[in-house]
């Protein structure tokens, strides 16, 4: 590189870029935290060093000259490079701070996220996490959350989704239920059992009956839209529930019934908005969640 050909410093180029983008010296000075005279001197120094006039005054406003327009794209590229340099440097620091909002189902929020967030706190203590425990699909495009843990792949092109891994769900019952009703030994026995339903059982009936069961709406004695409530009913012996293996593994006194039946595949997707994925703190949390969830799933039998 011919260093002698570089006859200006970055502060001068930054002053020019800010003035061009903000539209005036006063606005650019506010954006950069400088006084207007200081900023004006930097722009004038750049014009002198380059031997060109970058702005012309039109009353109280500034307008880019033709040389200014030609140089603007080059200076913007310098600004982008400076931003990338700052971002890369911040990635080496442990002082990443700010709030990140994560949405997940109520069960995942209550049982799966706590140990993961405890580990995240040690890695990035400056990050504040808000957990939105909801079984509704939050709209990330409207910033209802920064990161979502979902079981359905999003279709919107402006969302980034990563398939963490395929997990599975099976039938589970508590020791109290088995003691009272006996252990189901077959798909036929399950067809005569009491189930705890999540929201509208009609949506799950085709999936469950495809496994060889013959369930009807009457098998679902209790129904709730709250996953924590559903699982608590199962724990207390009121019926059999369908649950992912991770949640079941975290619950004492629960066991799989009729394990020879094919498991129900359950994908785990981690989703964020494309723009938010460039945020250092959100990218850190996104990558941390992806790794933690994948490790958790791969550790389960």
């Amino acid at each position: 590189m011919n260093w002698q050909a570089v006859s200006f410093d970055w502060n001068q180029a930054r002053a020019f870029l800010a003035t061009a983008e903000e539209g005036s010296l006063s606005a650019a000075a506010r954006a950069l935290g400088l006084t207007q005279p200081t900023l004006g001197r930097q722009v004038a120094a750049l014009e002198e060093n380059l031997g060109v006039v970058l702005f012309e005054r039109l009353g109280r406003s500034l307008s880019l000259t033709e040389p200014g327009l030609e140089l603007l794209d080059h200076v913007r590229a310098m600004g982008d490079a400076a931003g990338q340099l700052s971002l890369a440097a911040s990635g080496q620091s442990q002082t990443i701070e700010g709030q990140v909002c994560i949405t997940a189902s109520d069960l995942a929020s209550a049982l799966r996220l706590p140990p993961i967030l405890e580990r995240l706190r040690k890695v990035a203590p400056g990050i504040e996490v808000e957990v939105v425990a909801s079984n509704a699909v939050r709209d990330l495009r409207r910033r209802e959350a920064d990161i979502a843990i979902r079981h359905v792949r999003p279709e919107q092109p402006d969302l980034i989704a990563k398939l963490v891994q395929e997990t599975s769900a099976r039938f589970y019952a508590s020791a109290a239920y088995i003691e009272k009703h006996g252990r189901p030994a077959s798909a036929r026995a399950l067809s005569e059992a009491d189930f705890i339903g999540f929201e509208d059982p009609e949506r799950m009936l085709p999936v469950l009956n495809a496994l060889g069961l013959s369930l009807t709406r009457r098998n679902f004695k209790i129904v709730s839209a709250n996953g924590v409530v559903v699982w608590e009913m199962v724990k207390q012996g009121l019926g059999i529930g369908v649950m992912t293996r991770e949640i079941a593994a975290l619950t004492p006194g629960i066991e799989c019934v009729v394990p020879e039946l094919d498991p129900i595949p359950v994908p785990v997707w981690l989703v964020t908005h494309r723009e938010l994925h460039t945020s250092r703190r959100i990218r850190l949390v996104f990558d941390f969640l992806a790794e933690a969830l994948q490790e958790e799933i791969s550790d389960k039998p």
Side-chain angles (χ1 to χ4, degrees):
M1 179 173 179
N2 183 5
W3 296 106
Q4 299 301 320
V6 181
S7 58
F8 63 91
D9 65 29
W10 163 241
N11 286 329
Q12 296 169 0
R14 186 179 68 150
F16 164 58
L17 179 59
T19 303
E21 293 190 338
E22 298 294 331
S24 69
L25 290 172
S26 58
R30 287 193 298 271
L32 296 180
L34 301 173
T35 65
Q36 184 173 333
T38 297
L39 188 88
R41 286 193 296 269
Q42 291 178 348
V43 173
L46 180 63
E47 290 179 320
E48 182 178 352
N49 290 331
L50 296 179
V52 297
V53 176
L54 300 172
F55 296 101
E56 60 181 355
R57 290 190 175 274
L58 300 175
R60 293 187 175 182
S61 63
L62 294 177
S63 176
L64 282 165
T65 63
E66 186 174 343
L69 285 169
E70 291 179 358
L71 294 176
L72 184 58
D73 286 341
H74 297 290
V75 179
R76 279 197 175 123
M78 293 175 60
D80 291 340
Q84 291 298 320
L85 176 62
S86 297
L87 187 62
S90 69
Q92 305 303 318
S93 171
Q94 296 301 315
T95 60
I96 301 173
E97 298 179 348
Q99 187 179 79
V100 177
C101 180
I102 303 170
T103 182
S105 70
D106 46 16
L107 272 169
S109 298
L111 297 180
R112 299 184 66 183
L113 280 182
I116 295 175
L117 295 183
E118 183 179 13
R119 291 164 52 192
L120 176 64
R121 182 183 297 175
K122 297 176 181 178
V123 173
I127 290 180
E128 302 172 6
V129 177
E130 177 188 1
V131 177
V132 179
S134 174
N135 297 314
V137 177
R138 295 285 172 166
D139 193 342
L140 300 188
R141 295 175 300 170
R142 295 184 178 181
R143 302 299 192 268
E144 293 181 352
D146 298 322
I147 300 172
I149 301 172
R150 296 178 177 174
H151 296 305
V152 179
R153 182 177 185 175
E155 298 180 353
Q156 299 89 338
D158 51 349
L159 297 182
I160 293 176
K162 180 175 183 179
L163 180 62
V164 178
Q165 199 172 0
E166 291 276 357
T167 183
S168 59
R170 291 183 178 273
F171 298 101
Y172 293 92
S174 69
Y177 180 90
I178 293 174
E179 182 179 352
K180 182 176 181 179
H181 299 279
R183 183 184 304 278
S186 64
R188 180 176 180 179
L190 278 180
S191 298
E192 299 172 357
D194 294 335
F195 281 79
I196 308 298
F198 181 74
E199 291 188 340
D200 183 7
E202 297 292 341
R203 296 171 57 186
M204 281 297 294
L205 283 175
V207 177
L208 301 181
N209 289 337
L211 300 175
L213 281 66
S214 299
L215 299 180
T216 67
R217 182 66 177 79
R218 289 177 296 178
N219 288 99
F220 294 86
K221 303 300 184 183
I222 299 175
V223 176
S224 174
N226 187 295
V228 174
V229 171
V230 168
W231 195 231
E232 188 63 31
M233 298 292 182
V234 174
K235 287 166 56 180
Q236 296 195 28
L238 278 73
I240 294 173
V242 179
M243 187 54 60
T244 59
R245 52 182 179 155
E246 290 74 34
I247 299 297
L250 294 170
T251 310
I254 293 290
E255 54 184 288
C256 180
V257 294
V258 196
E260 61 271 17
L261 288 176
D262 291 336
I264 302 170
V266 180
V268 178
W269 291 92
L270 205 58
V271 186
T272 189
H273 194 278
R274 188 175 302 278
E275 294 178 5
L276 295 179
H277 202 49
T278 63
S279 164
R280 176 59 189 166
R281 70 179 185 279
I282 294 175
R283 179 61 185 264
L284 185 151
V285 175
F286 185 96
D287 291 343
F288 188 90
L289 285 173
E291 182 177 354
L293 290 170
Q294 191 163 1
E295 288 178 355
E296 182 191 59
I297 292 172
S298 62
D299 286 344
K300 297 296 184 293

